């Protein structure tokens, strides 16, 4: 064997003194094979000595599936919650025999163009932002042999299961809390940043579903804009600040303006970031619980790959964490 040529399963078979089929059974841990532990150990030892690594392309040709789950990352900033979800999903999928691949290229591309790029990797499943999935794109993926196509985001994707985050519920829970605290001048911050603005609009919709007047304020994540917003407050307002980052921006601006929290203005964030407990006053926030989400999403993907049917699923439950800012 050439020192520059990677070891093959045939090389492992020769070194272990077994058939190539036996190597495949052992290294793929296939159930139902009657292979002794001594033979299994000999095969694994030969594979380790030769540095054998299975060829993903060969596996695809043999089984019709690569075992890859392609996660097409959305074109938005990835905060701690999203990062934790992706890490948890990777672990859950690995436990089910899949390999997760994060696809970050050409995040602005959608529809057929995006589907063709994803299909080149011959994944078993694709999990993608619903805004990037179109009917024609889904058909491209299916024609390429992708067994599971799952949407994720704000809205369900027609024709496929979707993983949904209840952003309206965030806004509604925050505003109900402010109303319960006696605030009758409610303001909802809608971030101006393009990537997260759609989520802000969904949270605004939920805020207005409570049945009280809610003033929407577009705001960039900028100290100057925050100071200008605070300067226009008359006192007594309750502000739902979209998330904890914006809430902490406003807490700083309110402090600089000499306004008390919650005495003059009450503030609610979302995400329950670790820093929300370290601000002064400590920040009241909406906590999205994503602890069950990785297993839920992995189960949907696995069932679809196996040919079973699935419906839409939610990925979080919401809890209002009351602290000193309200």
């Amino acid at each position: 064997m050439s020192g520059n040529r990677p070891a093959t399963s045939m090389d492992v078979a020769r070194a272990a003194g077994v058939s190539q089929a036996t190597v495949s059974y052992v290294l793929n841990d296939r159930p139902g094979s009657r292979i002794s532990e001594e033979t299994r150990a000999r095969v694994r030892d030969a594979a380790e000595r030769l540095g054998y690594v299975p060829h993903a392309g060969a596996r695809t040709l043999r089984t019709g599936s690569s075992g890859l789950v392609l996660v097409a990352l959305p074109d938005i900033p990835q905060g701690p919650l999203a990062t934790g979800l992706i890490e948890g999903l990777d672990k859950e999928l690995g436990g089910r025999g899949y390999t997760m691949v994060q696809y970050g290229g050409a995040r602005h591309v959608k529809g057929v163009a995006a589907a063709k790029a994803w299909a080149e990797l011959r994944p078993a499943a694709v999990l993608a932002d619903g805004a990037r999935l179109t009917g024609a794109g889904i058909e491209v993926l299916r024609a390429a042999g992708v067994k599971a196509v799952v949407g994720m985001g704000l809205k369900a994707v027609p024709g496929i299961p979707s993983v949904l985050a209840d952003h309206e519920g965030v806004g509604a829970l925050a505003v109900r809390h402010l109303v319960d605290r006696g605030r009758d001048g409610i303001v909802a911050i809608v971030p101006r940043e393009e990537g997260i603005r759609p989520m802000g609009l969904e949270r605004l919709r939920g805020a207005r579903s409570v049945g009280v007047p809610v003033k929407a304020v577009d705001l960039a994540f900028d100290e100057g804009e925050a100071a200008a917003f605070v300067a226009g407050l008359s006192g007594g307002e309750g502000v739902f600040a979209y998330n904890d980052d914006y809430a902490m921006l406003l807490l700083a601006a309110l402090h600089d303006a000499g306004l008390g929290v919650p005495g003059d203005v009450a503030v609610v964030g979302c995400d329950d970031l670790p820093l929300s407990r370290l601000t002064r006053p400590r920040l009241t926030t909406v906590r999205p619980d994503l602890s069950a989400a990785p297993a839920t999403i992995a189960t949907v993907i696995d069932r679809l790959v196996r040919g079973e049917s699935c419906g839409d699923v939610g990925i979080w439950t919401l809890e209002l964490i009351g602290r000193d800012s309200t």
Side-chain angles (χ1 to χ4, degrees), residues 175-184 266 284 320 322-323 326:
V175 169
R176 287 194 194 99
H177 176 75
L178 290 169
V179 171
D180 289 344
R181 291 295 185 274
R183 304 289 169 161
D184 53 11
T284 293
L320 193 290
R323 297 195 182 102
T326 55

Side-chain angles (χ1 to χ4, degrees), residues 11-234:
D11 296 323
V12 175
R14 290 194 188 103
V18 299
S19 69
Q20 195 172 6
T22 298
V23 171
S24 177
Y25 273 109
V26 172
L27 297 184
N28 288 302
D29 200 22
R30 294 182 184 176
S33 59
R34 297 179 179 178
I35 301 173
S36 70
E37 285 304 315
E38 186 273 335
T39 299
R40 290 177 184 273
R42 199 163 70 245
V43 169
R44 293 188 182 114
D45 178 69
E48 184 174 352
R49 283 189 288 106
L50 295 173
Y52 172 70
V53 177
H55 193 290
R59 177 188 176 187
T60 301
L61 291 174
R62 185 177 66 252
T63 67
S65 174
S66 65
L68 295 179
V69 176
L70 186 151
V71 178
L73 297 174
D75 191 17
I76 60 174
Q78 299 296 307
L81 288 179
T83 300
L85 173 61
I86 292 297
E87 290 174 351
L89 180 59
D90 185 24
K91 182 177 179 181
E92 286 288 341
L93 288 169
R96 289 166 167 80
Y98 298 97
T99 300
M100 192 185 84
V101 176
Q102 298 182 54
Y103 190 98
R107 298 188 186 189
H108 62 285
V109 177
K110 63 181 181 179
V112 170
K116 287 182 176 179
W118 303 333
E120 287 181 2
L121 295 179
R122 295 295 188 267
V126 170
L127 174 66
D129 181 2
R132 301 177 68 185
L133 290 168
T134 63
I138 293 168
E139 288 307 311
V140 167
L141 293 171
R142 287 174 171 161
V146 178
K147 296 180 179 180
V149 183
V150 181
M152 60 179 174
L154 305 178
K155 302 292 184 183
V157 180
I160 62 172
S162 297
V163 175
L164 304 173
D166 180 17
H167 288 279
E168 287 191 24
V170 172
L173 191 57
V175 169
R176 287 194 194 99
H177 176 75
L178 290 169
V179 171
D180 289 344
R181 291 295 185 274
R183 304 289 169 161
D184 53 11
I186 306 296
V187 179
I189 300 299
V190 179
R192 194 173 294 141
E193 282 74 11
E194 183 178 349
I196 60 176
R197 184 171 176 78
M199 291 182 284
L201 291 172
E202 287 294 304
R203 293 180 184 189
L204 172 63
R205 186 174 292 110
R208 286 177 166 166
S209 72
V210 175
V212 298
V214 175
K215 178 183 178 182
V217 173
D218 288 354
L219 195 69
F221 195 82
D222 177 84
E223 285 187 277
E225 289 205 17
F229 163 69
V230 166
L233 297 176
S234 58

